Amino acid sequence: MSGPGAGFEYPPVEVAWLKRDVLLFANSIGCTADELHFLFELHPDFAVFPTYPIILPFKQATQEVIDFYKAQGAVPIPGVPKFDARRVVDGQRLMTFLKPLPTTSEGRKFELRSKVIGVYDKGKAGSVVETQQDIVDKATGESYAQAVGSAFFVGQGGWGGPKGSPTKNFPPPQGKKPDAVVSHQTTAESALLYRLNGDYNPLHATPEPGQNMGFGGAIMHGLSSWNFAAHGLLKSIGGGDPKNIREFQARFASPVKPGDKLVTEIWRTGEMEGEWEDIRFVTKVEGGKVCLSNGRALMKPVASKGSKL
């Protein structure tokens, strides 16, 4: 890591969650009644949906609504301009699942440990801040989940910083039909439900921020679409078993509007990393643009090829 801001470590932040938070998250990303192990706390296999840790940097330890703009700007990165959190969207996220998160943090101490990988100046378009975030058991130092992601600060470039290197691409196999196709129908209220997990960016609740950023109004959280796709992959390829996914990532390619229907095409590549198969996917708005590109997961498939869900 080199360049302005690279290597900067944020102060550790306590994170906490209850079973109720886990249930809400599963509901908000599309889990259905045939997946009671994510939706019913008395199920013998009750588990946290694997991507839940992605919400903890926003939620932290509170059960109360958060002032998103104030929280995002609370700790400036030394050596780079102070960016305006009112004009930020997600760029890309990769999550690695290291240990199953307990269904509640009650009685234990967990913390978020975050550091800056790099800050990149993309000129007139804006700036990218790339970070690594770990959810860590404070007593043991063990990391349960690690996320590497980028935030794109719209129209906030041109300050003379490094441009950054191109990210690695994971395209779907050429000329091969998808092994599974899954869909998720959002509603006008989908973002209003998802934000209750702890991501209270007003961009996803009221039209004014999106109008100011050129989106025409409120848009879905990029991470809600990311989580809808993760749910689709785990259910269709991994049999709904949280032990069957090791990594999940996607790039946020275009905004999704509340009410859009998302269609995810999924390919098995047959390529292995140890016991994990490389799975590729693309998510599109039905009849429209790709909204999640560069989709890749490492999984243990259990569903038959050719399933259409």
Tab-separated table of all heavy atoms in Angstrom, residues 204-244:
chain	number	residue	atom	x	y	z
A	204	HIS	N	-31.526	6.634	-0.208
A	204	HIS	CA	-32.392	5.488	-0.448
A	204	HIS	C	-33.779	5.640	0.177
A	204	HIS	O	-34.540	4.678	0.217
A	204	HIS	CB	-31.709	4.229	0.081
A	204	HIS	CG	-30.286	4.115	-0.365
A	204	HIS	ND1	-29.939	4.021	-1.692
A	204	HIS	CD2	-29.120	4.126	0.330
A	204	HIS	CE1	-28.612	3.967	-1.795
A	204	HIS	NE2	-28.095	4.030	-0.582
A	205	ALA	N	-34.081	6.862	0.636
A	205	ALA	CA	-35.368	7.058	1.311
A	205	ALA	C	-36.174	8.226	0.760
A	205	ALA	O	-37.408	8.177	0.762
A	205	ALA	CB	-35.128	7.263	2.813
A	206	THR	N	-35.501	9.250	0.292
A	206	THR	CA	-36.183	10.478	-0.125
A	206	THR	C	-35.569	10.937	-1.449
A	206	THR	O	-34.382	10.680	-1.708
A	206	THR	CB	-36.037	11.552	0.979
A	206	THR	OG1	-36.877	12.669	0.707
A	206	THR	CG2	-34.605	12.012	1.164
A	207	PRO	N	-36.344	11.589	-2.319
A	207	PRO	CA	-35.852	11.812	-3.681
A	207	PRO	C	-34.760	12.863	-3.838
A	207	PRO	O	-33.981	12.803	-4.802
A	207	PRO	CB	-37.113	12.239	-4.443
A	207	PRO	CG	-38.075	12.712	-3.411
A	207	PRO	CD	-37.774	11.910	-2.180
A	208	GLU	N	-34.645	13.807	-2.907
A	208	GLU	CA	-33.772	14.963	-3.140
A	208	GLU	C	-32.293	14.606	-3.359
A	208	GLU	O	-31.673	15.111	-4.313
A	208	GLU	CB	-33.913	15.976	-1.996
A	208	GLU	CG	-35.272	16.634	-1.897
A	208	GLU	CD	-36.298	15.787	-1.162
A	208	GLU	OE1	-35.910	14.710	-0.620
A	208	GLU	OE2	-37.487	16.180	-1.127
A	209	PRO	N	-31.679	13.740	-2.516
A	209	PRO	CA	-30.258	13.424	-2.757
A	209	PRO	C	-30.021	12.791	-4.128
A	209	PRO	O	-29.052	13.139	-4.814
A	209	PRO	CB	-29.920	12.448	-1.623
A	209	PRO	CG	-30.901	12.750	-0.545
A	209	PRO	CD	-32.154	13.116	-1.265
A	210	GLY	N	-30.883	11.879	-4.538
A	210	GLY	CA	-30.731	11.238	-5.834
A	210	GLY	C	-30.930	12.210	-6.985
A	210	GLY	O	-30.263	12.110	-8.026
A	211	GLN	N	-31.829	13.166	-6.814
A	211	GLN	CA	-32.021	14.189	-7.843
A	211	GLN	C	-30.759	15.032	-7.982
A	211	GLN	O	-30.319	15.337	-9.090
A	211	GLN	CB	-33.224	15.058	-7.477
A	211	GLN	CG	-34.552	14.336	-7.611
A	211	GLN	CD	-35.716	15.095	-6.975
A	211	GLN	OE1	-35.508	16.069	-6.253
A	211	GLN	NE2	-36.932	14.644	-7.227
A	212	ASN	N	-30.138	15.368	-6.855
A	212	ASN	CA	-28.918	16.177	-6.867
A	212	ASN	C	-27.740	15.437	-7.481
A	212	ASN	O	-26.792	16.065	-7.970
A	212	ASN	CB	-28.556	16.626	-5.446
A	212	ASN	CG	-29.558	17.608	-4.862
A	212	ASN	OD1	-30.248	18.294	-5.616
A	212	ASN	ND2	-29.647	17.666	-3.549
A	213	MET	N	-27.770	14.103	-7.443
A	213	MET	CA	-26.671	13.300	-7.983
A	213	MET	C	-26.950	12.808	-9.404
A	213	MET	O	-26.162	12.058	-9.971
A	213	MET	CB	-26.403	12.107	-7.056
A	213	MET	CG	-25.885	12.517	-5.692
A	213	MET	SD	-25.814	11.141	-4.510
A	213	MET	CE	-24.431	10.210	-5.156
A	214	GLY	N	-28.093	13.195	-9.970
A	214	GLY	CA	-28.410	12.821	-11.343
A	214	GLY	C	-29.113	11.499	-11.504
A	214	GLY	O	-29.220	10.989	-12.629
A	215	PHE	N	-29.627	10.929	-10.412
A	215	PHE	CA	-30.328	9.651	-10.477
A	215	PHE	C	-31.837	9.814	-10.670
A	215	PHE	O	-32.537	8.821	-10.856
A	215	PHE	CB	-30.064	8.827	-9.219
A	215	PHE	CG	-28.621	8.451	-9.022
A	215	PHE	CD1	-28.017	8.569	-7.782
A	215	PHE	CD2	-27.858	7.977	-10.077
A	215	PHE	CE1	-26.687	8.233	-7.582
A	215	PHE	CE2	-26.520	7.628	-9.905
A	215	PHE	CZ	-25.932	7.763	-8.656
A	216	GLY	N	-32.329	11.025	-10.548
A	216	GLY	CA	-33.748	11.271	-10.756
A	216	GLY	C	-34.623	11.049	-9.543
A	216	GLY	O	-35.825	11.317	-9.582
A	217	GLY	N	-34.047	10.548	-8.450
A	217	GLY	CA	-34.820	10.289	-7.243
A	217	GLY	C	-34.142	9.228	-6.408
A	217	GLY	O	-32.963	8.908	-6.604
A	218	ALA	N	-34.889	8.673	-5.449
A	218	ALA	CA	-34.323	7.654	-4.555
A	218	ALA	C	-33.941	6.405	-5.358
A	218	ALA	O	-34.616	6.039	-6.324
A	218	ALA	CB	-35.325	7.293	-3.469
A	219	ILE	N	-32.850	5.765	-4.945
A	219	ILE	CA	-32.415	4.512	-5.559
A	219	ILE	C	-32.242	3.459	-4.466
A	219	ILE	O	-32.179	3.780	-3.280
A	219	ILE	CB	-31.103	4.676	-6.348
A	219	ILE	CG1	-29.955	5.140	-5.433
A	219	ILE	CG2	-31.305	5.638	-7.515
A	219	ILE	CD1	-28.590	5.183	-6.112
A	220	MET	N	-32.175	2.199	-4.884
A	220	MET	CA	-31.911	1.117	-3.949
A	220	MET	C	-30.479	1.202	-3.435
A	220	MET	O	-29.584	1.680	-4.133
A	220	MET	CB	-32.113	-0.245	-4.627
A	220	MET	CG	-33.544	-0.558	-5.050
A	220	MET	SD	-34.677	-0.738	-3.656
A	220	MET	CE	-33.961	-2.122	-2.771
A	221	HIS	N	-30.248	0.727	-2.206
A	221	HIS	CA	-28.882	0.554	-1.740
A	221	HIS	C	-28.157	-0.392	-2.694
A	221	HIS	O	-28.682	-1.462	-3.041
A	221	HIS	CB	-28.852	-0.106	-0.352
A	221	HIS	CG	-29.582	0.631	0.731
A	221	HIS	ND1	-30.957	0.678	0.805
A	221	HIS	CD2	-29.107	1.313	1.813
A	221	HIS	CE1	-31.307	1.361	1.885
A	221	HIS	NE2	-30.209	1.762	2.499
A	222	GLY	N	-26.941	-0.016	-3.093
A	222	GLY	CA	-26.157	-0.962	-3.885
A	222	GLY	C	-25.987	-2.279	-3.149
A	222	GLY	O	-26.056	-3.359	-3.739
A	223	LEU	N	-25.785	-2.192	-1.834
A	223	LEU	CA	-25.576	-3.413	-1.050
A	223	LEU	C	-26.855	-4.225	-0.874
A	223	LEU	O	-26.780	-5.419	-0.556
A	223	LEU	CB	-24.966	-3.073	0.312
A	223	LEU	CG	-23.475	-2.748	0.269
A	223	LEU	CD1	-22.997	-2.231	1.629
A	223	LEU	CD2	-22.660	-3.966	-0.142
A	224	SER	N	-28.019	-3.624	-1.071
A	224	SER	CA	-29.229	-4.459	-1.039
A	224	SER	C	-29.274	-5.341	-2.285
A	224	SER	O	-29.520	-6.544	-2.193
A	224	SER	CB	-30.500	-3.601	-0.914
A	224	SER	OG	-30.714	-2.810	-2.068
A	225	SER	N	-28.970	-4.770	-3.457
A	225	SER	CA	-28.912	-5.585	-4.676
A	225	SER	C	-27.838	-6.661	-4.548
A	225	SER	O	-28.031	-7.811	-4.963
A	225	SER	CB	-28.624	-4.697	-5.892
A	225	SER	OG	-29.624	-3.713	-6.050
A	226	TRP	N	-26.704	-6.293	-3.963
A	226	TRP	CA	-25.594	-7.231	-3.724
A	226	TRP	C	-26.067	-8.386	-2.838
A	226	TRP	O	-25.793	-9.557	-3.103
A	226	TRP	CB	-24.478	-6.434	-3.073
A	226	TRP	CG	-23.154	-7.048	-2.836
A	226	TRP	CD1	-22.084	-7.059	-3.696
A	226	TRP	CD2	-22.685	-7.669	-1.631
A	226	TRP	NE1	-20.993	-7.652	-3.102
A	226	TRP	CE2	-21.333	-8.036	-1.833
A	226	TRP	CE3	-23.270	-7.944	-0.395
A	226	TRP	CZ2	-20.565	-8.670	-0.853
A	226	TRP	CZ3	-22.520	-8.575	0.589
A	226	TRP	CH2	-21.188	-8.933	0.358
A	227	ASN	N	-26.829	-8.067	-1.802
A	227	ASN	CA	-27.339	-9.100	-0.894
A	227	ASN	C	-28.461	-9.924	-1.524
A	227	ASN	O	-28.558	-11.130	-1.265
A	227	ASN	CB	-27.820	-8.455	0.403
A	227	ASN	CG	-26.691	-8.164	1.366
A	227	ASN	OD1	-25.946	-9.055	1.750
A	227	ASN	ND2	-26.554	-6.906	1.760
A	228	PHE	N	-29.311	-9.298	-2.356
A	228	PHE	CA	-30.327	-10.075	-3.072
A	228	PHE	C	-29.641	-11.146	-3.922
A	228	PHE	O	-30.085	-12.299	-3.980
A	228	PHE	CB	-31.167	-9.181	-3.995
A	228	PHE	CG	-31.943	-8.084	-3.318
A	228	PHE	CD1	-32.270	-6.923	-4.016
A	228	PHE	CD2	-32.344	-8.188	-1.990
A	228	PHE	CE1	-32.985	-5.912	-3.418
A	228	PHE	CE2	-33.063	-7.161	-1.382
A	228	PHE	CZ	-33.386	-6.017	-2.101
A	229	ALA	N	-28.565	-10.747	-4.606
A	229	ALA	CA	-27.843	-11.703	-5.460
A	229	ALA	C	-27.182	-12.798	-4.626
A	229	ALA	O	-27.204	-13.980	-5.002
A	229	ALA	CB	-26.802	-10.967	-6.305
A	230	ALA	N	-26.596	-12.424	-3.485
A	230	ALA	CA	-25.966	-13.426	-2.614
A	230	ALA	C	-26.995	-14.449	-2.152
A	230	ALA	O	-26.719	-15.663	-2.126
A	230	ALA	CB	-25.320	-12.746	-1.412
A	231	HIS	N	-28.184	-13.966	-1.811
A	231	HIS	CA	-29.253	-14.882	-1.411
A	231	HIS	C	-29.621	-15.817	-2.559
A	231	HIS	O	-29.771	-17.037	-2.369
A	231	HIS	CB	-30.488	-14.099	-0.950
A	231	HIS	CG	-31.686	-14.945	-0.747
A	231	HIS	ND1	-32.821	-14.817	-1.523
A	231	HIS	CD2	-31.930	-15.972	0.114
A	231	HIS	CE1	-33.717	-15.725	-1.134
A	231	HIS	NE2	-33.197	-16.420	-0.147
A	232	GLY	N	-29.745	-15.266	-3.768
A	232	GLY	CA	-30.088	-16.091	-4.923
A	232	GLY	C	-29.054	-17.167	-5.192
A	232	GLY	O	-29.392	-18.315	-5.491
A	233	LEU	N	-27.767	-16.815	-5.074
A	233	LEU	CA	-26.708	-17.802	-5.305
A	233	LEU	C	-26.717	-18.882	-4.233
A	233	LEU	O	-26.614	-20.075	-4.539
A	233	LEU	CB	-25.336	-17.117	-5.328
A	233	LEU	CG	-24.781	-16.809	-6.727
A	233	LEU	CD1	-25.549	-15.652	-7.355
A	233	LEU	CD2	-23.291	-16.500	-6.663
A	234	LEU	N	-26.831	-18.468	-2.968
A	234	LEU	CA	-26.761	-19.464	-1.901
A	234	LEU	C	-27.944	-20.429	-1.984
A	234	LEU	O	-27.783	-21.640	-1.793
A	234	LEU	CB	-26.729	-18.782	-0.529
A	234	LEU	CG	-26.490	-19.738	0.641
A	234	LEU	CD1	-25.135	-20.427	0.535
A	234	LEU	CD2	-26.606	-19.014	1.975
A	235	LYS	N	-29.114	-19.905	-2.319
A	235	LYS	CA	-30.299	-20.770	-2.383
A	235	LYS	C	-30.251	-21.706	-3.596
A	235	LYS	O	-30.566	-22.895	-3.480
A	235	LYS	CB	-31.570	-19.913	-2.424
A	235	LYS	CG	-32.853	-20.723	-2.315
A	235	LYS	CD	-34.062	-19.818	-2.159
A	235	LYS	CE	-35.330	-20.648	-1.940
A	235	LYS	NZ	-36.529	-19.788	-1.729
A	236	SER	N	-29.838	-21.177	-4.755
A	236	SER	CA	-29.910	-21.976	-5.979
A	236	SER	C	-28.709	-22.887	-6.179
A	236	SER	O	-28.841	-23.969	-6.748
A	236	SER	CB	-30.063	-21.057	-7.198
A	236	SER	OG	-28.937	-20.218	-7.341
A	237	ILE	N	-27.548	-22.457	-5.719
A	237	ILE	CA	-26.320	-23.232	-5.944
A	237	ILE	C	-25.858	-23.939	-4.669
A	237	ILE	O	-25.380	-25.075	-4.711
A	237	ILE	CB	-25.193	-22.330	-6.482
A	237	ILE	CG1	-25.607	-21.663	-7.800
A	237	ILE	CG2	-23.889	-23.102	-6.641
A	237	ILE	CD1	-25.840	-22.629	-8.937
A	238	GLY	N	-25.996	-23.275	-3.534
A	238	GLY	CA	-25.485	-23.821	-2.280
A	238	GLY	C	-26.509	-24.504	-1.403
A	238	GLY	O	-26.222	-24.834	-0.249
A	239	GLY	N	-27.737	-24.700	-1.929
A	239	GLY	CA	-28.755	-25.397	-1.157
A	239	GLY	C	-29.191	-24.655	0.096
A	239	GLY	O	-29.771	-25.247	1.006
A	240	GLY	N	-28.920	-23.338	0.157
A	240	GLY	CA	-29.322	-22.550	1.314
A	240	GLY	C	-28.486	-22.776	2.558
A	240	GLY	O	-28.811	-22.263	3.626
A	241	ASP	N	-27.393	-23.517	2.428
A	241	ASP	CA	-26.551	-23.832	3.581
A	241	ASP	C	-25.431	-22.795	3.687
A	241	ASP	O	-24.606	-22.680	2.772
A	241	ASP	CB	-25.947	-25.230	3.416
A	241	ASP	CG	-25.177	-25.705	4.641
A	241	ASP	OD1	-24.752	-24.860	5.454
A	241	ASP	OD2	-24.998	-26.934	4.778
A	242	PRO	N	-25.383	-22.032	4.775
A	242	PRO	CA	-24.359	-20.977	4.878
A	242	PRO	C	-22.929	-21.505	4.855
A	242	PRO	O	-22.004	-20.753	4.575
A	242	PRO	CB	-24.685	-20.288	6.208
A	242	PRO	CG	-25.524	-21.250	6.973
A	242	PRO	CD	-26.277	-22.050	5.952
A	243	LYS	N	-22.751	-22.788	5.127
A	243	LYS	CA	-21.395	-23.361	5.090
A	243	LYS	C	-20.885	-23.540	3.659
A	243	LYS	O	-19.713	-23.848	3.457
A	243	LYS	CB	-21.372	-24.710	5.822
A	243	LYS	CG	-21.659	-24.626	7.316
A	243	LYS	CD	-21.373	-25.936	8.021
A	243	LYS	CE	-22.316	-27.060	7.611
A	243	LYS	NZ	-23.710	-26.822	8.028
A	244	ASN	N	-21.779	-23.338	2.668
A	244	ASN	CA	-21.407	-23.630	1.282
A	244	ASN	C	-20.949	-22.404	0.497
A	244	ASN	O	-20.896	-22.441	-0.739
A	244	ASN	CB	-22.575	-24.303	0.558
A	244	ASN	CG	-22.756	-25.736	1.012
A	244	ASN	OD1	-21.823	-26.363	1.512
A	244	ASN	ND2	-23.969	-26.262	0.864
